[in-house]
Amino acid sequence: MLYPLLMTSASGEGGIRCLLVRAGEYLCALPLNQVRRVVATLTTHPLPGAAPELLGLAEFAGEALPVLDLACLVNAPAGAASGQPVTVVVWAGPPAERELVGLAADEALAIVELPLHALTETRLGLVSGEALQAGRPVRVLNLEHLGAT
Amino acid sequence: MSEEHVRERTSPAWGFAILAVTVVVGFVTVLAASAGTARQWLATAFLAAGAVAVLAYLAFAYLPERRARQRAERVSQQVAGWERELVAGLVELQAGDLVKAPEQVRHLPERLAGAFSAATRALGGLIQQIQSSSTDVAAAGNAVHATASELASGSSEQAAAVVQITATMEELARTAAQIAGNAASQADLAAHAEQTGETGVAAVEEALGGLEEVQKRISAIAARADTLGTRSKEIYRVLDLITEIAQETHILSLNAAIEAAAAGEHGRRFGVVADEVRRLAQRSQESVDSVRNLLEEFSSSIRATVVATEEGGKEASRGLERARAAANAIDALRSALADTARTAKETSLATEQQRTASDQVVLTAKEVSQVIQRMAEGLKHFSGTAERLNQLALSIQLLTQSFRIDAARSLKHLCEHWATELGGRGGQWEMAESQLAELVARHPFVEMAFLADAHGVMAAFSVNREWTGGRSAGSVTVGMNMHDRPWYQTVMREGRPILTPLYDSLLTGDRCFSVAAPIRDPSGAHLGVLGFDVNARSWTKI
């Protein structure tokens, strides 16, 4: 089961609905069923000694929310600074242990549906596959794996 | 005539008176005797009276008459001698020898001889005075001739100068006319330029007004552009607000889509709405971006407009300053052109007056030229008259020199003097040349002195080299035969100094005359003839 969420896509046409965000120069597709909310960039409070991809903790719905740097997670080169930076609140980790995590992206673009036949499995990890969207490569993220790491 | 002679001439009258009384008494007695009234004593008385009458006649008439006749014969003889002496003196006078003439009458009665000598001296004095006067006349004539020649030459030069002046003045008049024409044209041009300058000043003033209006308009545009810039900032703020709203809407639509997706089948419609909202937000964002781009272009245009208006304002200010400077320059130029026009008019007027004055000068110069030409002709005539006066003076001098007077300036006397000196040599002419040289040296008017012996052969001569320019006597040589020369013949025939008429000298080519005198030894024997030639150009040095 590489794509358990894909099988339960809303379209029912063998596709996966994702939130397309831009992190640096990369386009990343976040499975829509794992996305909790998109908000404007939250103010983070850095944690001493934290990993580089952990920007810090932010306040979301009255609770502390760890915020990770998506571009750092996918090793994306720095891109254009245009657009509205957002923090995408997602469910990370396995379904049984999932928790809310904030991903700092440069821009939340759109809700897209990626056809399954267009997906190619790349490796096991955060980026589970790639697809072409409007001629540009889109990295499909496996957020369950994010919780594991 | 003495009183004695008068008394002797009256004696015959007394004799005739006695004879007449006797005859009358005798006639009366005869008449008385025939009438018978006469008596014897009357006859006796008559006879006695007759005897007395005879005696008286002899005593008072005959004898005095005889003595008188004898005295008359002696007087007649004396008068004849005086007459001969007088004639001889007059002959010498006729020959012009006022030196010998008194010698010829030295035996005349003292009063007659004195009167003759006085007359001769007076004549000599008159001749000397005439000589001196002729010399003075000749000197004056020469001076007049020289002055007239100099004046004639000067007049010719003056005439040439006047002609040149006339030509120059005519050229000056032509130039003045040309200058006047040019000045008039310049005045017209300057006046036209002044009018153009006035028009230019008006145009520049109008341009100044236009530039000021442009500057005002530019300032207004700049103000409006500034206002637009302010408004653009407000629009940017509005756009930022719209962008923010669009982004919020976009995020909101995304969250709605997320919620719709989470709602599953029930959220499909909501998902559609969310997608439409997202699209709307996207179009809003695109519109905002488009408006922002347009606003960027508009702002750029406004900024460019502001910059352009600022530059335009600055340029308008500079143009305004330049236009004001141009207006000032044109005004100054107009003033200068007005001055130029006035000056050109004055120049034209002055040159016109100058041309008129030049014409008058030309006319005057022509009149002066004519006067000078007439004066030159008069001076030439005057010079000719002076020359004739000089010739006349020379003729008078020659006439006076035809007399021999006891004076240093008498050439005949001079020649006679030197002839007497040479006569002392007794016919030995070896050293005569030095004496002739002395004669020439002492008398600079002498061209050449010469001596011919009793046979008419040239025995010696001496040449004044100042007259010949250092040349010798040329064809004259010692031994030449002078026997046939008129002067020699005349001197030999008359035996007295002579003066020749004027002739052309073979030595110098000048007019000259010769003076010659016989040379005699102390006994009166004829030894030869001395002569010298006098150059007519230096006769006033005599």
Side-chain angles (χ1 to χ4, degrees):
Chain A
M1 296 292 284
L2 290 177
Y3 305 108
L5 290 178
L6 299 179
M7 301 308 288
T8 58
S9 65
S11 63
E13 295 176 355
I16 181 171
R17 299 192 69 187
C18 298
L19 173 63
L20 191 64
V21 299
R22 182 173 63 84
E25 288 187 354
Y26 290 172
L27 293 180
C28 297
L30 302 178
L32 194 58
N33 56 356
Q34 293 179 333
V35 177
R36 175 69 181 86
R37 187 63 56 89
V38 179
V39 296
T41 299
L42 297 175
T43 303
T44 59
H45 301 279
L47 295 176
E53 61 271 16
L54 180 59
L55 295 177
L57 295 177
E59 188 270 335
F60 180 72
E63 292 183 2
L65 178 70
V67 178
L68 299 175
D69 186 0
L70 182 59
C72 187
L73 290 174
V74 297
N75 295 320
S82 62
Q84 184 190 17
V86 295
T87 300
V88 181
V89 181
V90 296
W91 294 105
E97 300 175 357
R98 67 179 186 178
E99 56 183 351
L100 289 175
V101 174
L103 295 177
D106 291 324
E107 190 175 8
L109 297 175
I111 302 296
V112 296
E113 185 169 341
L114 300 174
L116 292 176
H117 58 84
L119 292 173
T120 56
E121 185 179 1
T122 55
R123 61 183 178 277
L124 292 176
L126 182 58
V127 178
S128 58
E130 289 184 356
L132 289 176
Q133 175 64 31
R136 293 187 63 185
V138 176
R139 286 166 176 77
V140 180
L141 303 184
N142 182 7
L143 295 179
E144 291 181 359
H145 185 271
L146 181 63
T149 59
Chain B
M1 190 172 288
S2 64
E3 294 179 356
E4 184 183 1
H5 293 159
V6 174
R7 185 167 48 80
E8 288 177 354
R9 288 181 63 181
T10 58
S11 297
W14 282 103
F16 286 121
I18 294 170
L19 284 176
V21 171
T22 304
V23 169
V24 170
V25 172
F27 182 71
V28 170
T29 305
V30 170
L31 286 178
S34 62
T37 60
R39 296 179 181 176
Q40 189 60 37
W41 62 272
L42 287 174
T44 304
F46 174 72
L47 291 174
V52 171
V54 170
L55 290 173
Y57 174 75
L58 290 175
F60 293 105
Y62 178 72
L63 290 176
E65 184 181 3
R66 183 181 177 187
R67 284 195 301 270
R69 190 180 302 116
Q70 290 174 348
R71 286 196 186 100
E73 288 178 356
R74 287 197 299 272
V75 168
S76 176
Q77 291 175 355
Q78 190 175 13
V79 168
W82 292 349
E83 184 181 1
R84 284 193 299 274
E85 289 186 7
L86 191 59
V87 168
L90 292 174
V91 168
E92 293 296 336
L93 278 181
Q94 184 183 9
D97 196 338
L98 300 185
V99 177
K100 282 186 177 179
E103 296 176 356
Q104 298 295 333
V105 299
R106 64 179 177 276
H107 299 298
L108 287 177
E110 184 179 357
R111 293 180 61 186
L112 189 56
F116 189 87
S117 298
T120 305
R121 284 195 301 274
L123 183 57
L126 180 62
I127 290 170
Q128 289 186 29
Q129 190 173 358
I130 292 173
Q131 281 183 346
S132 178
S133 299
S134 67
T135 303
D136 293 342
V137 168
N142 285 333
V144 168
H145 181 265
T147 304
S149 299
E150 187 175 356
L151 287 175
S153 176
S155 299
S156 299
E157 293 177 358
Q158 281 183 341
V162 167
V163 169
Q164 189 172 1
I165 288 172
T166 303
T168 304
M169 292 307 296
E170 287 177 346
E171 180 65 23
L172 183 62
R174 284 195 294 272
T175 306
Q178 188 174 359
I179 290 173
N182 291 337
S185 300
Q186 186 180 3
D188 294 339
L189 288 174
H192 180 67
E194 184 183 0
Q195 293 177 355
T196 306
E198 290 177 353
T199 306
V201 167
V204 169
E205 288 176 351
E206 188 176 356
L208 274 173
L211 282 172
E212 288 174 351
E213 187 65 26
V214 167
Q215 196 177 27
K216 290 179 182 175
R217 297 288 179 86
I218 287 174
S219 299
I221 290 171
R224 291 190 179 185
D226 191 52
T227 303
L228 284 177
T230 305
R231 296 295 178 85
S232 296
K233 290 178 182 176
E234 293 176 359
I235 293 172
Y236 272 119
R237 283 196 295 273
V238 172
L239 287 177
D240 289 340
L241 181 60
I242 293 173
T243 299
E244 187 177 354
I245 293 172
Q247 288 175 349
E248 292 294 337
T249 304
H250 177 65
I251 292 173
L252 184 60
S253 66
L254 290 176
N255 288 324
I258 291 167
E259 291 299 332
E265 190 62 28
H266 299 287
R268 179 177 296 271
R269 292 183 179 176
F270 185 71
V272 173
V273 172
D275 188 57
E276 289 299 326
V277 171
R278 186 190 59 82
R279 292 179 187 275
L280 182 61
Q282 187 175 2
R283 284 204 302 274
S284 297
Q285 184 64 43
E286 289 173 357
S287 298
V288 167
D289 291 339
S290 177
V291 170
R292 188 181 296 276
N293 290 332
L294 290 175
L295 190 58
E296 284 288 338
E297 293 178 1
F298 182 66
S299 298
S300 298
S301 299
I302 288 174
R303 285 194 295 272
T305 302
V306 169
V307 172
T309 51
E310 288 178 353
E311 292 296 327
K314 293 178 182 177
E315 192 64 33
S317 297
R318 287 194 291 269
L320 196 60
E321 292 177 357
R322 285 196 291 268
R324 282 172 181 159
N328 293 330
I330 291 175
D331 190 56
L333 180 63
R334 186 170 57 89
S335 299
L337 286 171
D339 294 339
T340 302
R342 187 173 60 255
T343 305
K345 287 179 181 177
E346 293 174 355
T347 303
S348 176
L349 184 60
T351 49
E352 187 68 27
Q353 293 175 350
Q354 182 182 359
R355 188 180 64 80
T356 305
S358 299
D359 291 340
Q360 292 177 352
V361 170
V362 167
L363 290 176
T364 307
K366 286 181 178 178
E367 292 176 356
V368 169
S369 177
Q370 292 174 355
V371 170
I372 288 175
Q373 287 179 353
R374 286 199 296 272
M375 188 171 69
E377 292 174 357
L379 286 172
K380 288 179 182 177
H381 180 69
F382 196 41
S383 179
T385 303
E387 183 69 22
R388 286 195 297 276
L389 189 63
N390 195 4
Q391 295 295 329
L392 180 61
L394 177 58
S395 300
I396 293 172
Q397 180 68 215
L398 290 175
L399 285 175
T400 59
Q401 289 294 345
S402 66
F403 292 93
R404 179 196 173 196
I405 58 177
D406 188 8
R409 298 178 66 179
S410 173
L411 295 178
K412 282 185 176 179
H413 189 65
L414 180 69
C415 191
E416 185 77 22
H417 169 74
W418 284 96
T420 304
E421 292 285 330
L422 288 169
R425 295 181 177 274
Q428 302 301 318
W429 309 127
E430 289 77 8
M431 300 298 291
E433 185 174 349
S434 62
Q435 209 158 355
L436 295 178
E438 183 182 358
L439 187 157
V440 169
R442 290 175 60 181
H443 304 292
F445 50 84
V446 174
E447 281 187 12
M448 183 175 71
F450 44 89
L451 188 153
D453 62 12
H455 304 289
V457 176
M458 178 73 80
F461 68 89
S462 179
V463 174
N464 189 343
R465 292 185 181 273
E466 290 184 0
W467 286 108
T468 61
R471 290 183 288 108
S472 62
S475 62
V476 179
T477 56
V478 174
M480 287 178 62
N481 186 8
M482 301 289 183
H483 187 270
D484 296 332
R485 301 295 174 92
W487 52 269
Y488 185 84
Q489 293 286 335
T490 305
V491 170
M492 294 300 291
R493 182 175 62 252
E494 296 184 359
R496 67 176 72 249
I498 60 98
L499 193 74
T500 69
L502 286 169
Y503 64 93
D504 293 332
S505 170
L506 296 175
L507 193 62
T508 61
D510 295 334
R511 298 288 287 173
C512 72
F513 60 92
S514 298
V515 183
I519 302 174
R520 294 186 180 87
D521 64 4
S523 63
H526 190 78
L527 299 177
V529 174
L530 169 66
F532 55 80
D533 299 336
V534 178
N535 191 294
R537 286 198 290 136
S538 65
W539 67 268
T540 54
K541 297 178 181 177
I542 296 172

